[in-house]
Amino acid sequence: RKEVEQDPGPFNVPEGATVAFNCTYSNSASQSFFWYRQDCRKEPKLLMSVYSSGNEDGRFTAQLNRASQYISLLIRDSKLSDSATYLCVVNIISSGSARQLTFGSGTQLTVLP
Amino acid sequence: DTEVTQTPKHLVMGMTNKKSLKCEQHMGHRAMYWYKQKAKKPPELMFVYSYEKLSINESVPSRFSPECPNSSLLNLHLHALQPEDSALYLCASSQSAQGASSDTQYFGPGTRLTVL
């Protein structure tokens, strides 16, 4: 089983649609969670950190359910510029107390005019 | 300023060449990372430096040799690479390697490497 699993996608949605991405993680000791977006042939960029109480940034809402080990990202009123690959990222314990980020395989979103 | 810079942007090398990738950050971050990313795949961690010491080596072949000359710089020395090593090499940095929410990793634009 992969340590971080995401919706396989791709998602093709019309402009203005609401789209939700889901992600599950296997290591219950994980402590911090992030959504990154990556445009084609560019580096990943932090979209938002995900907090236990849930958090919102404009049209983006992230939720974390520690009991179910589940993370979600909701995008409202999709824009063409939201087209990208969305990466669910979790920190896990590597060796000793060292932690490292583990990336999900990413979900590709295309917003259509 | 949340900028991580990488040079070169593109690199083409033969299997017998020796080359180096460079990464720099001036955010005062004490953890720096090298990742390898193949097309349509997520980044894969290669190395982690914490306070200029190598703390994680993800079983990377010895033809990749990292170096951290100081807290702002990270190099990746390449020697005798194989064509399958062609990929986007990403550098990242964070405040520390402890994994807290504040330890957001910021990525550089990457070096696109082609090995002939």
PDB file of all heavy atoms in Angstrom, chain B residues 11-42:
ATOM      1  N   LEU B  11      20.683  20.838 -18.579  1.00  0.00           N
ATOM      2  CA  LEU B  11      22.009  20.244 -18.681  1.00  0.00           C
ATOM      3  C   LEU B  11      21.917  18.985 -19.521  1.00  0.00           C
ATOM      4  O   LEU B  11      21.070  18.129 -19.260  1.00  0.00           O
ATOM      5  CB  LEU B  11      22.554  19.912 -17.291  1.00  0.00           C
ATOM      6  CG  LEU B  11      23.931  19.255 -17.222  1.00  0.00           C
ATOM      7  CD1 LEU B  11      24.997  20.178 -17.795  1.00  0.00           C
ATOM      8  CD2 LEU B  11      24.280  18.896 -15.779  1.00  0.00           C
ATOM      9  N   VAL B  12      22.778  18.900 -20.513  1.00  0.00           N
ATOM     10  CA  VAL B  12      22.894  17.690 -21.325  1.00  0.00           C
ATOM     11  C   VAL B  12      24.304  17.164 -21.105  1.00  0.00           C
ATOM     12  O   VAL B  12      25.282  17.919 -21.232  1.00  0.00           O
ATOM     13  CB  VAL B  12      22.657  17.967 -22.820  1.00  0.00           C
ATOM     14  CG1 VAL B  12      22.797  16.687 -23.630  1.00  0.00           C
ATOM     15  CG2 VAL B  12      21.274  18.584 -23.033  1.00  0.00           C
ATOM     16  N   MET B  13      24.425  15.919 -20.755  1.00  0.00           N
ATOM     17  CA  MET B  13      25.749  15.364 -20.499  1.00  0.00           C
ATOM     18  C   MET B  13      25.861  13.933 -21.002  1.00  0.00           C
ATOM     19  O   MET B  13      24.846  13.216 -21.090  1.00  0.00           O
ATOM     20  CB  MET B  13      26.089  15.423 -19.004  1.00  0.00           C
ATOM     21  CG  MET B  13      25.173  14.669 -18.093  1.00  0.00           C
ATOM     22  SD  MET B  13      25.516  14.958 -16.341  1.00  0.00           S
ATOM     23  CE  MET B  13      27.076  14.100 -16.129  1.00  0.00           C
ATOM     24  N   GLY B  14      27.074  13.553 -21.329  1.00  0.00           N
ATOM     25  CA  GLY B  14      27.345  12.184 -21.733  1.00  0.00           C
ATOM     26  C   GLY B  14      27.593  11.326 -20.508  1.00  0.00           C
ATOM     27  O   GLY B  14      27.769  11.822 -19.393  1.00  0.00           O
ATOM     28  N   MET B  15      27.605  10.042 -20.708  1.00  0.00           N
ATOM     29  CA  MET B  15      27.721   9.114 -19.589  1.00  0.00           C
ATOM     30  C   MET B  15      29.093   9.160 -18.926  1.00  0.00           C
ATOM     31  O   MET B  15      29.254   8.727 -17.788  1.00  0.00           O
ATOM     32  CB  MET B  15      27.396   7.690 -20.050  1.00  0.00           C
ATOM     33  CG  MET B  15      25.921   7.489 -20.368  1.00  0.00           C
ATOM     34  SD  MET B  15      25.478   5.773 -20.606  1.00  0.00           S
ATOM     35  CE  MET B  15      26.081   5.497 -22.251  1.00  0.00           C
ATOM     36  N   THR B  16      30.088   9.719 -19.608  1.00  0.00           N
ATOM     37  CA  THR B  16      31.418   9.770 -18.998  1.00  0.00           C
ATOM     38  C   THR B  16      31.727  11.131 -18.376  1.00  0.00           C
ATOM     39  O   THR B  16      32.777  11.319 -17.777  1.00  0.00           O
ATOM     40  CB  THR B  16      32.501   9.446 -20.044  1.00  0.00           C
ATOM     41  OG1 THR B  16      32.375  10.386 -21.123  1.00  0.00           O
ATOM     42  CG2 THR B  16      32.324   8.034 -20.569  1.00  0.00           C
ATOM     43  N   ASN B  17      30.803  12.075 -18.530  1.00  0.00           N
ATOM     44  CA  ASN B  17      31.056  13.429 -18.027  1.00  0.00           C
ATOM     45  C   ASN B  17      30.943  13.513 -16.516  1.00  0.00           C
ATOM     46  O   ASN B  17      30.283  12.689 -15.878  1.00  0.00           O
ATOM     47  CB  ASN B  17      30.056  14.422 -18.631  1.00  0.00           C
ATOM     48  CG  ASN B  17      30.242  14.640 -20.117  1.00  0.00           C
ATOM     49  OD1 ASN B  17      29.322  15.066 -20.796  1.00  0.00           O
ATOM     50  ND2 ASN B  17      31.423  14.348 -20.628  1.00  0.00           N
ATOM     51  N   LYS B  18      31.555  14.575 -15.976  1.00  0.00           N
ATOM     52  CA  LYS B  18      31.333  14.966 -14.581  1.00  0.00           C
ATOM     53  C   LYS B  18      30.756  16.373 -14.597  1.00  0.00           C
ATOM     54  O   LYS B  18      31.324  17.262 -15.226  1.00  0.00           O
ATOM     55  CB  LYS B  18      32.656  15.018 -13.808  1.00  0.00           C
ATOM     56  CG  LYS B  18      33.229  13.709 -13.396  1.00  0.00           C
ATOM     57  CD  LYS B  18      34.459  13.929 -12.528  1.00  0.00           C
ATOM     58  CE  LYS B  18      35.094  12.624 -12.138  1.00  0.00           C
ATOM     59  NZ  LYS B  18      36.292  12.801 -11.307  1.00  0.00           N
ATOM     60  N   LYS B  19      29.644  16.547 -13.919  1.00  0.00           N
ATOM     61  CA  LYS B  19      29.009  17.864 -13.852  1.00  0.00           C
ATOM     62  C   LYS B  19      28.472  18.066 -12.441  1.00  0.00           C
ATOM     63  O   LYS B  19      28.373  17.123 -11.660  1.00  0.00           O
ATOM     64  CB  LYS B  19      27.839  17.948 -14.844  1.00  0.00           C
ATOM     65  CG  LYS B  19      28.225  17.842 -16.301  1.00  0.00           C
ATOM     66  CD  LYS B  19      28.887  19.104 -16.801  1.00  0.00           C
ATOM     67  CE  LYS B  19      29.181  19.002 -18.304  1.00  0.00           C
ATOM     68  NZ  LYS B  19      29.914  20.182 -18.789  1.00  0.00           N
ATOM     69  N   SER B  20      28.102  19.304 -12.152  1.00  0.00           N
ATOM     70  CA  SER B  20      27.517  19.615 -10.841  1.00  0.00           C
ATOM     71  C   SER B  20      26.278  20.472 -10.994  1.00  0.00           C
ATOM     72  O   SER B  20      26.241  21.367 -11.845  1.00  0.00           O
ATOM     73  CB  SER B  20      28.527  20.359  -9.965  1.00  0.00           C
ATOM     74  OG  SER B  20      29.643  19.546  -9.689  1.00  0.00           O
ATOM     75  N   LEU B  21      25.286  20.192 -10.163  1.00  0.00           N
ATOM     76  CA  LEU B  21      24.098  21.031 -10.061  1.00  0.00           C
ATOM     77  C   LEU B  21      24.252  21.873  -8.800  1.00  0.00           C
ATOM     78  O   LEU B  21      24.763  21.391  -7.774  1.00  0.00           O
ATOM     79  CB  LEU B  21      22.841  20.176  -9.951  1.00  0.00           C
ATOM     80  CG  LEU B  21      22.636  19.082 -10.988  1.00  0.00           C
ATOM     81  CD1 LEU B  21      21.270  18.417 -10.794  1.00  0.00           C
ATOM     82  CD2 LEU B  21      22.798  19.603 -12.392  1.00  0.00           C
ATOM     83  N   LYS B  22      23.774  23.121  -8.894  1.00  0.00           N
ATOM     84  CA  LYS B  22      23.922  24.016  -7.743  1.00  0.00           C
ATOM     85  C   LYS B  22      22.576  24.557  -7.299  1.00  0.00           C
ATOM     86  O   LYS B  22      21.679  24.774  -8.118  1.00  0.00           O
ATOM     87  CB  LYS B  22      24.846  25.179  -8.114  1.00  0.00           C
ATOM     88  CG  LYS B  22      26.253  24.732  -8.423  1.00  0.00           C
ATOM     89  CD  LYS B  22      27.188  25.893  -8.642  1.00  0.00           C
ATOM     90  CE  LYS B  22      28.577  25.416  -9.054  1.00  0.00           C
ATOM     91  NZ  LYS B  22      29.186  24.499  -8.076  1.00  0.00           N
ATOM     92  N   CYS B  23      22.473  24.771  -6.005  1.00  0.00           N
ATOM     93  CA  CYS B  23      21.242  25.275  -5.394  1.00  0.00           C
ATOM     94  C   CYS B  23      21.616  26.289  -4.337  1.00  0.00           C
ATOM     95  O   CYS B  23      22.596  26.092  -3.588  1.00  0.00           O
ATOM     96  CB  CYS B  23      20.474  24.103  -4.779  1.00  0.00           C
ATOM     97  SG  CYS B  23      19.012  24.585  -3.855  1.00  0.00           S
ATOM     98  N   GLU B  24      20.836  27.360  -4.233  1.00  0.00           N
ATOM     99  CA  GLU B  24      21.135  28.395  -3.249  1.00  0.00           C
ATOM    100  C   GLU B  24      19.846  28.954  -2.680  1.00  0.00           C
ATOM    101  O   GLU B  24      18.861  29.136  -3.400  1.00  0.00           O
ATOM    102  CB  GLU B  24      21.945  29.515  -3.921  1.00  0.00           C
ATOM    103  CG  GLU B  24      22.531  30.529  -2.959  1.00  0.00           C
ATOM    104  CD  GLU B  24      23.580  31.418  -3.620  1.00  0.00           C
ATOM    105  OE1 GLU B  24      23.814  31.304  -4.838  1.00  0.00           O
ATOM    106  OE2 GLU B  24      24.170  32.240  -2.892  1.00  0.00           O
ATOM    107  N   GLN B  25      19.871  29.218  -1.375  1.00  0.00           N
ATOM    108  CA  GLN B  25      18.730  29.891  -0.732  1.00  0.00           C
ATOM    109  C   GLN B  25      19.277  30.871   0.300  1.00  0.00           C
ATOM    110  O   GLN B  25      20.310  30.617   0.918  1.00  0.00           O
ATOM    111  CB  GLN B  25      17.766  28.866  -0.082  1.00  0.00           C
ATOM    112  CG  GLN B  25      18.386  27.949   0.955  1.00  0.00           C
ATOM    113  CD  GLN B  25      18.422  28.474   2.369  1.00  0.00           C
ATOM    114  OE1 GLN B  25      17.763  29.472   2.710  1.00  0.00           O
ATOM    115  NE2 GLN B  25      19.181  27.813   3.234  1.00  0.00           N
ATOM    116  N   HIS B  26      18.568  31.981   0.445  1.00  0.00           N
ATOM    117  CA  HIS B  26      18.974  33.007   1.404  1.00  0.00           C
ATOM    118  C   HIS B  26      17.834  33.309   2.357  1.00  0.00           C
ATOM    119  O   HIS B  26      17.597  34.463   2.712  1.00  0.00           O
ATOM    120  CB  HIS B  26      19.433  34.269   0.663  1.00  0.00           C
ATOM    121  CG  HIS B  26      20.693  34.056  -0.112  1.00  0.00           C
ATOM    122  ND1 HIS B  26      21.925  33.891   0.492  1.00  0.00           N
ATOM    123  CD2 HIS B  26      20.920  33.930  -1.442  1.00  0.00           C
ATOM    124  CE1 HIS B  26      22.843  33.696  -0.435  1.00  0.00           C
ATOM    125  NE2 HIS B  26      22.267  33.712  -1.612  1.00  0.00           N
ATOM    126  N   MET B  27      17.105  32.272   2.750  1.00  0.00           N
ATOM    127  CA  MET B  27      15.990  32.448   3.674  1.00  0.00           C
ATOM    128  C   MET B  27      16.385  32.072   5.096  1.00  0.00           C
ATOM    129  O   MET B  27      15.532  32.033   5.982  1.00  0.00           O
ATOM    130  CB  MET B  27      14.805  31.593   3.208  1.00  0.00           C
ATOM    131  CG  MET B  27      14.258  32.036   1.860  1.00  0.00           C
ATOM    132  SD  MET B  27      12.894  31.015   1.280  1.00  0.00           S
ATOM    133  CE  MET B  27      13.770  29.677   0.492  1.00  0.00           C
ATOM    134  N   GLY B  28      17.667  31.718   5.301  1.00  0.00           N
ATOM    135  CA  GLY B  28      18.094  31.294   6.629  1.00  0.00           C
ATOM    136  C   GLY B  28      17.627  29.894   6.981  1.00  0.00           C
ATOM    137  O   GLY B  28      17.637  29.509   8.155  1.00  0.00           O
ATOM    138  N   HIS B  29      17.197  29.145   5.974  1.00  0.00           N
ATOM    139  CA  HIS B  29      16.742  27.778   6.222  1.00  0.00           C
ATOM    140  C   HIS B  29      17.918  26.878   6.565  1.00  0.00           C
ATOM    141  O   HIS B  29      19.013  27.026   6.027  1.00  0.00           O
ATOM    142  CB  HIS B  29      16.016  27.229   4.989  1.00  0.00           C
ATOM    143  CG  HIS B  29      14.672  27.845   4.780  1.00  0.00           C
ATOM    144  ND1 HIS B  29      13.896  27.588   3.666  1.00  0.00           N
ATOM    145  CD2 HIS B  29      13.944  28.701   5.543  1.00  0.00           C
ATOM    146  CE1 HIS B  29      12.765  28.253   3.756  1.00  0.00           C
ATOM    147  NE2 HIS B  29      12.779  28.940   4.888  1.00  0.00           N
ATOM    148  N   ARG B  30      17.674  25.915   7.463  1.00  0.00           N
ATOM    149  CA  ARG B  30      18.758  25.032   7.896  1.00  0.00           C
ATOM    150  C   ARG B  30      18.624  23.619   7.344  1.00  0.00           C
ATOM    151  O   ARG B  30      19.430  22.751   7.676  1.00  0.00           O
ATOM    152  CB  ARG B  30      18.839  25.002   9.424  1.00  0.00           C
ATOM    153  CG  ARG B  30      19.047  26.388  10.047  1.00  0.00           C
ATOM    154  CD  ARG B  30      20.108  27.234   9.350  1.00  0.00           C
ATOM    155  NE  ARG B  30      21.409  26.640   9.366  1.00  0.00           N
ATOM    156  CZ  ARG B  30      22.342  26.897  10.275  1.00  0.00           C
ATOM    157  NH1 ARG B  30      22.092  27.736  11.255  1.00  0.00           N
ATOM    158  NH2 ARG B  30      23.530  26.337  10.200  1.00  0.00           N
ATOM    159  N   ALA B  31      17.593  23.375   6.559  1.00  0.00           N
ATOM    160  CA  ALA B  31      17.432  22.067   5.927  1.00  0.00           C
ATOM    161  C   ALA B  31      17.339  22.266   4.422  1.00  0.00           C
ATOM    162  O   ALA B  31      16.635  23.163   3.947  1.00  0.00           O
ATOM    163  CB  ALA B  31      16.184  21.350   6.435  1.00  0.00           C
ATOM    164  N   MET B  32      18.049  21.434   3.683  1.00  0.00           N
ATOM    165  CA  MET B  32      18.011  21.497   2.220  1.00  0.00           C
ATOM    166  C   MET B  32      17.901  20.084   1.673  1.00  0.00           C
ATOM    167  O   MET B  32      18.373  19.127   2.297  1.00  0.00           O
ATOM    168  CB  MET B  32      19.241  22.220   1.671  1.00  0.00           C
ATOM    169  CG  MET B  32      19.291  23.688   2.100  1.00  0.00           C
ATOM    170  SD  MET B  32      20.631  24.636   1.361  1.00  0.00           S
ATOM    171  CE  MET B  32      20.019  24.905  -0.309  1.00  0.00           C
ATOM    172  N   TYR B  33      17.283  19.988   0.507  1.00  0.00           N
ATOM    173  CA  TYR B  33      16.887  18.691  -0.026  1.00  0.00           C
ATOM    174  C   TYR B  33      17.197  18.608  -1.521  1.00  0.00           C
ATOM    175  O   TYR B  33      17.095  19.599  -2.236  1.00  0.00           O
ATOM    176  CB  TYR B  33      15.372  18.501   0.125  1.00  0.00           C
ATOM    177  CG  TYR B  33      14.815  18.791   1.499  1.00  0.00           C
ATOM    178  CD1 TYR B  33      14.584  20.102   1.919  1.00  0.00           C
ATOM    179  CD2 TYR B  33      14.477  17.755   2.367  1.00  0.00           C
ATOM    180  CE1 TYR B  33      14.065  20.373   3.171  1.00  0.00           C
ATOM    181  CE2 TYR B  33      13.956  18.019   3.621  1.00  0.00           C
ATOM    182  CZ  TYR B  33      13.751  19.334   4.018  1.00  0.00           C
ATOM    183  OH  TYR B  33      13.230  19.595   5.266  1.00  0.00           O
ATOM    184  N   TRP B  34      17.492  17.391  -1.963  1.00  0.00           N
ATOM    185  CA  TRP B  34      17.509  17.088  -3.398  1.00  0.00           C
ATOM    186  C   TRP B  34      16.425  16.062  -3.702  1.00  0.00           C
ATOM    187  O   TRP B  34      16.301  15.054  -2.993  1.00  0.00           O
ATOM    188  CB  TRP B  34      18.845  16.508  -3.850  1.00  0.00           C
ATOM    189  CG  TRP B  34      19.927  17.510  -4.078  1.00  0.00           C
ATOM    190  CD1 TRP B  34      21.100  17.641  -3.388  1.00  0.00           C
ATOM    191  CD2 TRP B  34      19.976  18.518  -5.096  1.00  0.00           C
ATOM    192  NE1 TRP B  34      21.844  18.676  -3.879  1.00  0.00           N
ATOM    193  CE2 TRP B  34      21.181  19.229  -4.936  1.00  0.00           C
ATOM    194  CE3 TRP B  34      19.105  18.902  -6.118  1.00  0.00           C
ATOM    195  CZ2 TRP B  34      21.540  20.285  -5.757  1.00  0.00           C
ATOM    196  CZ3 TRP B  34      19.463  19.961  -6.936  1.00  0.00           C
ATOM    197  CH2 TRP B  34      20.666  20.636  -6.759  1.00  0.00           C
ATOM    198  N   TYR B  35      15.650  16.343  -4.752  1.00  0.00           N
ATOM    199  CA  TYR B  35      14.633  15.431  -5.242  1.00  0.00           C
ATOM    200  C   TYR B  35      14.899  15.149  -6.726  1.00  0.00           C
ATOM    201  O   TYR B  35      15.435  15.982  -7.443  1.00  0.00           O
ATOM    202  CB  TYR B  35      13.234  16.048  -5.162  1.00  0.00           C
ATOM    203  CG  TYR B  35      12.669  16.222  -3.788  1.00  0.00           C
ATOM    204  CD1 TYR B  35      12.942  17.354  -3.032  1.00  0.00           C
ATOM    205  CD2 TYR B  35      11.799  15.269  -3.251  1.00  0.00           C
ATOM    206  CE1 TYR B  35      12.393  17.527  -1.771  1.00  0.00           C
ATOM    207  CE2 TYR B  35      11.238  15.434  -1.990  1.00  0.00           C
ATOM    208  CZ  TYR B  35      11.537  16.561  -1.269  1.00  0.00           C
ATOM    209  OH  TYR B  35      10.980  16.736  -0.023  1.00  0.00           O
ATOM    210  N   LYS B  36      14.424  13.989  -7.151  1.00  0.00           N
ATOM    211  CA  LYS B  36      14.441  13.637  -8.571  1.00  0.00           C
ATOM    212  C   LYS B  36      12.990  13.444  -9.001  1.00  0.00           C
ATOM    213  O   LYS B  36      12.213  12.794  -8.292  1.00  0.00           O
ATOM    214  CB  LYS B  36      15.216  12.333  -8.765  1.00  0.00           C
ATOM    215  CG  LYS B  36      15.161  11.751 -10.167  1.00  0.00           C
ATOM    216  CD  LYS B  36      15.912  10.426 -10.197  1.00  0.00           C
ATOM    217  CE  LYS B  36      15.808   9.762 -11.560  1.00  0.00           C
ATOM    218  NZ  LYS B  36      16.551   8.471 -11.595  1.00  0.00           N
ATOM    219  N   GLN B  37      12.625  14.019 -10.145  1.00  0.00           N
ATOM    220  CA  GLN B  37      11.262  13.857 -10.632  1.00  0.00           C
ATOM    221  C   GLN B  37      11.264  13.437 -12.103  1.00  0.00           C
ATOM    222  O   GLN B  37      11.775  14.155 -12.963  1.00  0.00           O
ATOM    223  CB  GLN B  37      10.451  15.140 -10.453  1.00  0.00           C
ATOM    224  CG  GLN B  37       8.981  14.956 -10.809  1.00  0.00           C
ATOM    225  CD  GLN B  37       8.131  16.180 -10.515  1.00  0.00           C
ATOM    226  OE1 GLN B  37       8.622  17.308 -10.492  1.00  0.00           O
ATOM    227  NE2 GLN B  37       6.850  15.971 -10.257  1.00  0.00           N
ATOM    228  N   LYS B  38      10.651  12.294 -12.371  1.00  0.00           N
ATOM    229  CA  LYS B  38      10.459  11.834 -13.737  1.00  0.00           C
ATOM    230  C   LYS B  38       9.090  12.335 -14.213  1.00  0.00           C
ATOM    231  O   LYS B  38       8.209  12.666 -13.408  1.00  0.00           O
ATOM    232  CB  LYS B  38      10.514  10.303 -13.799  1.00  0.00           C
ATOM    233  CG  LYS B  38      11.798   9.692 -13.272  1.00  0.00           C
ATOM    234  CD  LYS B  38      12.934   9.776 -14.264  1.00  0.00           C
ATOM    235  CE  LYS B  38      12.974   8.584 -15.182  1.00  0.00           C
ATOM    236  NZ  LYS B  38      14.169   8.602 -16.060  1.00  0.00           N
ATOM    237  N   ALA B  39       8.927  12.331 -15.529  1.00  0.00           N
ATOM    238  CA  ALA B  39       7.690  12.859 -16.114  1.00  0.00           C
ATOM    239  C   ALA B  39       6.463  12.131 -15.570  1.00  0.00           C
ATOM    240  O   ALA B  39       6.448  10.902 -15.457  1.00  0.00           O
ATOM    241  CB  ALA B  39       7.742  12.715 -17.631  1.00  0.00           C
ATOM    242  N   LYS B  40       5.461  12.922 -15.209  1.00  0.00           N
ATOM    243  CA  LYS B  40       4.166  12.423 -14.736  1.00  0.00           C
ATOM    244  C   LYS B  40       4.265  11.609 -13.443  1.00  0.00           C
ATOM    245  O   LYS B  40       3.383  10.801 -13.135  1.00  0.00           O
ATOM    246  CB  LYS B  40       3.460  11.597 -15.822  1.00  0.00           C
ATOM    247  CG  LYS B  40       3.145  12.409 -17.067  1.00  0.00           C
ATOM    248  CD  LYS B  40       2.195  11.677 -17.974  1.00  0.00           C
ATOM    249  CE  LYS B  40       1.945  12.444 -19.271  1.00  0.00           C
ATOM    250  NZ  LYS B  40       1.314  13.745 -19.049  1.00  0.00           N
ATOM    251  N   LYS B  41       5.345  11.806 -12.695  1.00  0.00           N
ATOM    252  CA  LYS B  41       5.514  11.154 -11.395  1.00  0.00           C
ATOM    253  C   LYS B  41       5.749  12.220 -10.338  1.00  0.00           C
ATOM    254  O   LYS B  41       6.187  13.323 -10.660  1.00  0.00           O
ATOM    255  CB  LYS B  41       6.735  10.213 -11.429  1.00  0.00           C
ATOM    256  CG  LYS B  41       6.620   9.065 -12.407  1.00  0.00           C
ATOM    257  CD  LYS B  41       5.673   8.022 -11.912  1.00  0.00           C
ATOM    258  CE  LYS B  41       5.682   6.803 -12.822  1.00  0.00           C
ATOM    259  NZ  LYS B  41       4.700   5.792 -12.392  1.00  0.00           N
ATOM    260  N   PRO B  42       5.488  11.925  -9.069  1.00  0.00           N
ATOM    261  CA  PRO B  42       5.787  12.901  -8.020  1.00  0.00           C
ATOM    262  C   PRO B  42       7.289  12.962  -7.747  1.00  0.00           C
ATOM    263  O   PRO B  42       8.022  12.044  -8.133  1.00  0.00           O
ATOM    264  CB  PRO B  42       5.031  12.352  -6.805  1.00  0.00           C
ATOM    265  CG  PRO B  42       4.964  10.884  -7.046  1.00  0.00           C
ATOM    266  CD  PRO B  42       4.857  10.700  -8.528  1.00  0.00           C
TER     267      PRO B  42
END
